[in-house]
Structure formats: C-alpha cells, structure tokens
Amino acid sequence: MDTLLTALAAIIPSVGVGFLFWLAIRALVNADRTERQALARMDAAERAAEAAGKNGESPSSV
C-alpha cells in the first residue's frame, strides 16, 4: 500500500500541471474562436454597408 501512495504522490503533480495546461490551451482556442466570429461579423457589416452605398440605399443596422 505504501508503494501505491508513493506512486500516486509522484503522478499527481504531473496530472495537475497537465490539467492547468489543458485549461490554458482551451481558453486560448475559445478566445481565438470568439475573435474570428467577431471579425466575420464586422466584415459582413462592412460588405453590407459597401453594397448599400453602391446601390444608393442607406445601410441597415446589423
């Protein structure tokens, strides 16, 4: 039983650091995804405003 506790004591810090790394990478990926969605919305709004300007219409609120 003492050997099992020793093995767990050796593995637990690595698992904890791995979990923290996973959380950090997940946060980065989610932030990137959110930023890409926001940029896509901005680009779509700019294209709509440009198209409305060429047609002589007032741009709609997006």
Side-chain angles (χ1 to χ4, degrees):
M1 188 67 172
D2 188 39
T3 307
L4 179 63
L5 292 176
T6 304
L8 285 176
I11 291 174
I12 288 175
S14 297
V15 171
V17 170
F19 180 70
L20 291 175
F21 179 76
W22 176 78
L23 286 177
I25 295 299
R26 189 176 124 206
L28 288 172
V29 169
N30 286 338
D32 182 58
R33 182 183 312 129
T34 303
E35 183 180 5
R36 287 177 188 263
Q37 289 173 348
L39 287 174
R41 284 193 302 270
M42 286 175 42
D43 289 342
E46 287 175 3
R47 283 193 301 271
E50 184 177 309
K54 286 182 181 178
N55 295 335
E57 302 171 359
S58 63
S60 62
S61 176
V62 176

